[in-house]
């Protein structure tokens, strides 16, 4: 097992002679590393190098374990806010009647409003493959009906016994 190296230099690991010290209950200023360490020890806290590339390097007097915990928490929040793409599928037959079409259209509208992508496909079973044109018309009609909510990512395309079309939600205008 490989130990992960600490991302920040702490206390005695700080190599610079002079550092800029910031933090709570501290007079902000440039100090020698020895003096800054002494100030941190007096408060029972750690000296953490926040910005090593600055001139002089910036250090903060804080509780390092608490600082690490806060950093992990921030990373988790960023990860949670990252958008996950959901793909919903809607299946049609080449002979889908109007009522079924409207029913599936309502579902697609709901999926798009929730921010999911929609993959609609016509599945040709047995000899129904001869109705390729019907399937294409059905998918184009579907895309046309959803033009307000979605943009077409991929036009109808036949792959084996399936003709698919991909739709993704349009970005909502900021209010």
């Amino acid at each position: 097992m490989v130990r992960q190296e600490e991302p920040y230099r702490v206390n005695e690991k700080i190599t610079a002679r002079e550092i800029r010290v910031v933090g709570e209950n501290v007079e902000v200023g440039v100090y020698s590393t020895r003096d800054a360490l002494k100030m941190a020890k007096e408060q029972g806290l750690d000296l953490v190098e926040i910005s090593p590339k600055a001139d002089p390097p910036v250090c903060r007097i804080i509780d390092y374990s608490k600082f690490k915990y806060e950093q992990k928490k921030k990373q988790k929040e960023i990860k949670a806010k990252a958008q996950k793409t959901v793909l919903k599928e809607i299946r049609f037959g080449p002979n889908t009647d109007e009522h079924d079409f409207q029913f599936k259209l309502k579902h697609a509208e709901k999926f798009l409003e929730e921010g999911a992508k929609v993959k609609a496909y016509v599945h040709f079973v047995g000899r129904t493959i001869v109705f390729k044109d019907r399937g294409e018309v059905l998918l184009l009609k579907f895309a046309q009906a959803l033009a307000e909510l979605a943009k077409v990512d991929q036009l109808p395309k036949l792959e084996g016994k399936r003709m698919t079309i991909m739709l993704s939600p349009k970005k909502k205008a900021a209010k």
Side-chain angles (χ1 to χ4, degrees):
M1 190 171 117
V2 178
R3 267 189 77 216
Q4 187 181 354
E5 195 173 309
E6 294 293 334
Y8 301 96
R9 292 192 196 135
V10 184
N11 297 334
E12 284 75 29
K13 292 194 173 92
I14 298 170
T15 55
R17 267 195 220 139
E18 284 194 332
I19 54 175
R20 181 175 306 277
V21 178
V22 296
E24 295 162 26
N25 308 326
V26 177
E27 181 133 354
V28 176
V30 179
Y31 296 94
S32 72
T33 307
R34 194 178 319 127
D35 291 343
L37 271 168
K38 202 164 103 183
M39 287 165 51
K41 292 277 186 263
E42 285 170 4
Q43 294 182 33
L45 298 171
D46 300 301
L47 186 65
V48 181
E49 191 176 47
I50 305 283
S51 179
K53 289 183 174 57
D55 186 31
V58 179
C59 295
R60 181 177 276 163
I61 294 179
I62 44 173
D63 181 358
Y64 186 60
S65 56
K66 190 175 177 182
F67 176 72
K68 271 181 32 180
Y69 171 74
E70 293 293 331
Q71 293 293 349
K72 268 188 186 165
K73 207 164 144 183
K74 278 182 192 170
Q75 290 300 320
K76 260 189 183 169
E77 277 181 31
I78 290 169
K79 217 178 213 178
K81 285 180 184 173
Q83 207 170 25
K84 295 166 184 80
T85 308
V86 179
L87 179 69
K88 298 285 190 172
E89 290 191 355
I90 294 181
R91 177 182 171 168
F92 293 101
N95 300 318
T96 302
D97 67 338
E98 190 58 30
H99 177 266
D100 284 345
F101 179 81
Q102 290 302 324
F103 184 77
K104 291 177 182 190
L105 188 66
K106 291 265 187 297
H107 279 285
E109 285 172 359
K110 192 178 91 191
F111 296 149
L112 289 165
E113 283 167 5
E114 291 170 358
K117 285 187 169 192
V118 175
K119 177 182 181 180
Y121 65 93
V122 177
H123 189 73
F124 298 100
V125 184
R127 292 186 179 163
T128 59
I129 195 76
V130 297
F131 300 120
K132 281 186 238 137
D133 54 337
R134 267 195 217 169
E136 190 171 358
V137 167
L138 185 73
L139 290 176
L140 289 171
K141 180 179 161 189
F142 184 71
Q144 187 71 41
L146 293 169
E148 295 285 312
L149 295 169
K151 65 178 187 282
V152 178
D153 290 343
Q154 177 192 332
L155 287 168
K157 184 170 117 183
L158 188 66
E159 297 167 347
K161 292 186 173 196
R162 281 185 174 185
M163 185 176 283
T164 60
I165 189 169
M166 290 288 289
L167 303 165
S168 60
K170 284 184 178 174
K171 299 281 182 242
K172 293 180 183 104
K175 293 179 184 175

